[in-house]
Amino acid sequence: MKIGILSAGGDCPGINAAIRGVGKTAIVQYGMEVIGISNGFSGLIDMNTEELTEDKLSGILTLGGTILGTSRMKPFKPQAGDTVEDKPQVIKENYQKLGLDALVCIGGNGTQRTANLLAKEGLNIVGLPKTIDNDVWGTDVTFGFDSAVNIATDAIDRLHTTANSHKRVMVIEVMGHNAGWIALHSGVAGGGDIVLLPEIEYDMEVVANTLITRAERGKPYSIVVVGEGIKVPNKKNAARYIAKQIQERTDLETRETILGYVQRGGTPSPADRVLATRYGAYAAKLINNKEFGTMVCVRNNEISSVPLEEVGGKTKLIQANDRLVDKARNMGVCFGDKI
Ligand code: F6P
């Protein structure tokens, strides 16, 4: 069989480990030919491809980013300045021209939605979930998430010492889009005192009173972890808004840090390398078994698959009964809500 691999959407640590997992298993175990497609779905439109031999797949396990490049181009969504009219049709034709028997789409929610639509157009698709945000529906965890949580936790650890020296409130904003997974996990791992998640509506009065009470009890400093997707007025920056509100309402000296793209860069954690490798190897197996229209997933630490149809267009958010939220609450972490 001849298979294509592409990575689309925002990059994250572990994509290369996944490409290697798919590619090496496909070549070594199943004797398949593997074609790398550059820059997400764009590469299938402008035919930007190259064969991924075993040699090309060596030495990439620990590399951050993606050797294939990526883009946020959505073939089913016409955009201003489009030069190609019917992108899905061109993709279908080029898939045939390349002689592909299957296409592996490594990506987050948007990519899995596109993958599902291409599967409906008759292409043999296997999806592979990646994103630091951990918000892909149908899988317990995406690779990239563990690495991002490590980086965010390290940043929070560092804020503790400077916050303590200056007796300040430190607000740190982490990524995650509309999901609070990175904020919740790094907030718990880094001992955040207040954690604001997009999924839990916060009250600024509760946040301010919590900080005042902490100061009155003699706590010299506080750490506030904020998910970038929390609601703030007039689309203001989350950390800046929260820090300003805290300063005004409490008179406690407050500083903000926006962690940004460092959360997405650099070498994947060992856990992400293992997860991406397991995902990749399983994708090759699904192709060999002709189980198309599926996305690789992990549930209770078992790798399996889920129909793409069930995944497309959904987002996995933190639920009200989340156990980690509950544990954190019981230890006195404030989520900003009135309870
Ligand atoms: O989905 C990953 C992510 O890093 C989000 O956490 C963030 O909101 C977004 O991508 C940033 O997107 P872009 O790469 O388009 O700036």
Side-chain angles (χ1 to χ4, degrees), residues 10-11 72 131-133 175-177 182 228 261 264:
D11 74 337
R72 291 202 186 272
T131 166
I132 60 166
D133 301 342
M175 279 186 165
H177 202 221
I182 299 176
E228 65 173 352
Y261 291 91
R264 253 166 56 176

Side-chain angles (χ1 to χ4, degrees), residues 8-54:
D11 74 337
C12 76
I15 298 179
N16 290 324
I19 294 168
R20 176 178 173 272
V22 180
K24 286 207 169 186
T25 310
I27 296 168
V28 176
Q29 173 80 12
Y30 301 116
M32 296 172 181
E33 196 181 332
V34 181
I35 305 296
I37 295 153
S38 298
N39 309 325
F41 295 100
S42 304
L44 270 179
I45 289 177
D46 51 26
M47 287 290 244
N48 193 350
T49 66
E50 66 166 329
E51 185 176 353
L52 293 178
T53 57
E54 257 193 285

Side-chain angles (χ1 to χ4, degrees), residues 171-174 179-184 187 193-204 206-207 223-232 238-239 241-243 246 318 333-337:
V171 178
I172 175 166
E173 177 183 312
V174 297
W181 296 106
I182 299 176
L184 174 61
D193 306 299
I194 298 180
V195 178
L196 302 183
L197 308 175
E199 293 91 339
I200 299 179
E201 203 179 328
Y202 66 94
D203 181 333
M204 213 48 237
V206 174
V207 172
I223 303 286
V224 182
V225 181
V226 171
E228 65 173 352
I230 63 162
K231 282 201 181 65
V232 288
Y241 172 78
I242 297 292
I246 291 171
I318 297 170
V333 175
C334 167
F335 287 90
D337 51 338

